[in-house]
Amino acid sequence: MNYLTKKTVKDVDISGKSVLLRCDFNVPKDKLGNISDHKRIDESLKTISYLTNNGAKVILCSHMGKPNGKYDKKLSLAPVASYLSEVLKKDVKFTGEVLGENTERIVNSLQPGEVCLLENLRFDSGEEENSEEFSKKLASLAQIYVDDAFGTCHRAHSSTVGVTKYLPSVCGFLIEKEINAINRIINNPQRPLVAILGGAKVSDKINVIDFLLDIVDIIIVGGGMSYTFINALGYAVGESICEIDKLSFAKDMMAKAQEKDVKFLLPLDAEIADKYSSSANHKTINADSIPEGWMGLDIGPKTVRLFSEVISDAGTVIWNGPMGVFEWKNYEFGTLSIAKALSESKAVSIVGGGDSAAAINKFGFGDKVTHVSTGGGAFLEFLKGKELPGIEAIEDK
Ligand code: AMP
């Protein structure tokens, strides 16, 4: 998997050309329909500004939510157009439809440096079906395609893969940044290469563990998923999350680690609770003797010390999944401490794949690590060793 060969927006002449730019504007909205987190839109500004400053006619497109091929006012991109007009300080013309006469009229009247935004692509069922007809029509609006939506790179849809059949296709700065981060893990990483895995379940991360064991020097497993491994070693885990049907997988993975000379680290102690509740009674205990009626909801201080030392000595760290129920104050210590250790380490630190990205931002360390991936599912697919079709489809240099 070497994506460094992919063409970027700097490898094509965009001056005076119509450019279809696929962004990830899948932002959350509040009850009133206002955008409640602009981060994803802000991340796309660098590429949009580069295109407009270099005289391109920019046609923006994105999906939002899961409208299942039908119009849904709550998932309209209209508020995104208003926000973009504000921050770009220019009128971003909203077409109010995906494809149709209005879109054609607006696109055809665009001047160099001007920007328009299509309505939510998933209002048309052709998008997710990667339909030939829809892809062709979408591509016919432009002369060049730029993909900057890392969050949807793991999906082969019309706007991520289908259009590349008809247009010269390159990536934007956001995808370029993600590719560089992936490269620092895959190709000649600074060693030791450490993976920290957490989150609720082993079953969600089976392929991730298997793949990472082929490339890392040390693997750390915390969070809810660690109890399946602790139980597989023969220790009591009380009422902690434990997937009995994954015990033999857990044993196989620990055997694979030994075979490959990969250090496999599990929690030494845990913060346990007498029920799954933010107000439960709780105490710290060794992780190999959790009594009946109690469950591990976070890693303990001895574990934090051990994991932090490993992070401090690492060359590269990949982090996916929280160490505990970090949403509750009593069980945020482990996740917060790992985030802090990462921020203080000299290692190349790459965080991604769902909740860990949210956690590191929540604790204010997001800008103190090397890279926080913008693609939850896409980053996780990469951690499973899967190709990302949206990036595959971009032309090589
Ligand atoms: P995932 O989506 O698999 O990364 O899981 C993230 C979720 O795992 C978070 O919402 C955490 O609250 C939860 N989690 C982490 N550790 C535990 C644990 N020890 N017991 C129960 N849930 C946990």
Side-chain angles (χ1 to χ4, degrees), residues 42-325:
D42 295 340
E43 298 258 20
S44 67
L45 295 178
K46 191 173 167 193
T47 303
I48 299 173
S49 300
Y50 175 84
L51 292 173
T52 54
N53 292 341
N54 286 281
K57 304 170 188 173
V58 184
I59 306 150
L60 300 172
C61 64
S62 173
H63 78 283
M64 181 185 278
K66 292 180 176 151
N68 291 325
K70 286 196 289 285
Y71 179 78
D72 178 347
K73 192 167 184 282
K74 289 193 289 300
L75 297 175
S76 169
L77 290 182
V80 176
S82 309
Y83 178 70
L84 280 170
S85 298
E86 226 175 90
V87 288
L88 291 169
K89 296 189 178 65
K90 62 172 74 193
D91 181 31
V92 172
K93 300 172 176 70
F94 184 56
T95 63
E97 61 181 7
V98 183
L99 298 171
E101 277 175 24
N102 203 41
T103 295
E104 267 171 44
R105 186 181 55 75
I106 291 176
V107 165
N108 291 335
S109 67
L110 277 186
Q111 296 301 308
E114 288 188 344
V115 184
C116 73
L117 171 64
L118 308 186
E119 183 53 288
N120 186 346
L121 293 167
R122 290 192 188 167
F123 287 173
D124 193 312
S125 60
E127 162 66 358
E128 287 182 89
E129 287 161 7
N130 192 11
S131 107
E132 184 98 19
E133 196 194 338
F134 182 73
S135 302
K136 214 174 182 169
K137 279 191 194 156
L138 192 59
S140 73
L141 298 176
Q143 295 159 288
I144 294 170
Y145 167 71
V146 180
D147 190 0
D148 216 15
F150 184 71
T152 45
C153 270
H154 57 313
R155 312 225 182 268
H157 292 167
S158 273
S159 68
T160 59
V161 172
V163 290
T164 64
K165 199 168 145 190
Y166 306 102
L167 292 174
S169 304
V170 301
C171 66
F173 297 119
L174 189 55
I175 288 195
E176 187 187 26
K177 202 162 80 170
E178 298 279 357
I179 287 176
N180 287 337
I182 287 176
N183 182 59
R184 296 182 85 163
I185 298 170
I186 296 290
N187 300 315
N188 263 326
Q190 283 182 42
R191 293 195 179 267
L193 172 59
V194 179
I196 308 171
L197 294 179
K201 289 190 182 159
V202 176
S203 44
D204 295 340
K205 309 265 166 92
I206 285 181
N207 297 330
V208 174
I209 302 168
D210 201 14
F211 171 67
L212 286 175
L213 278 172
D214 289 329
I215 62 167
V216 301
D217 302 297
I218 302 173
I219 192 157
I220 289 177
V221 176
M225 61 191 277
S226 64
Y227 300 103
T228 302
F229 288 89
I230 293 171
N231 194 237
L233 290 173
Y235 301 111
V237 293
E239 318 309 314
S240 310
I241 296 182
C242 180
E243 292 163 273
I244 300 296
D245 59 332
K246 294 291 171 290
L247 289 177
S248 73
F249 169 78
K251 283 182 196 157
D252 288 351
M253 288 301 106
M254 289 187 281
K256 179 172 174 181
Q258 207 162 17
E259 219 172 86
K260 299 212 148 227
D261 219 8
V262 172
K263 228 190 242 175
F264 200 105
L265 298 178
L266 288 166
L268 302 173
D269 56 353
E271 191 64 20
I272 58 171
D274 62 356
K275 56 177 185 258
Y276 185 75
S277 158
S278 58
S279 59
N281 294 311
H282 61 103
K283 59 183 178 185
T284 313
I285 192 168
N286 282 346
D288 59 1
S289 52
I290 299 176
E292 265 180 42
W294 291 76
M295 62 188 75
L297 294 185
D298 196 9
I299 54 174
K302 274 193 262 178
T303 311
V304 162
R305 232 170 292 134
L306 170 70
F307 291 180
S308 299
E309 273 166 28
V310 174
I311 291 169
S312 152
D313 295 339
T316 307
V317 185
I318 313 160
W319 180 26
N320 170 262
M323 296 290 100
V325 185

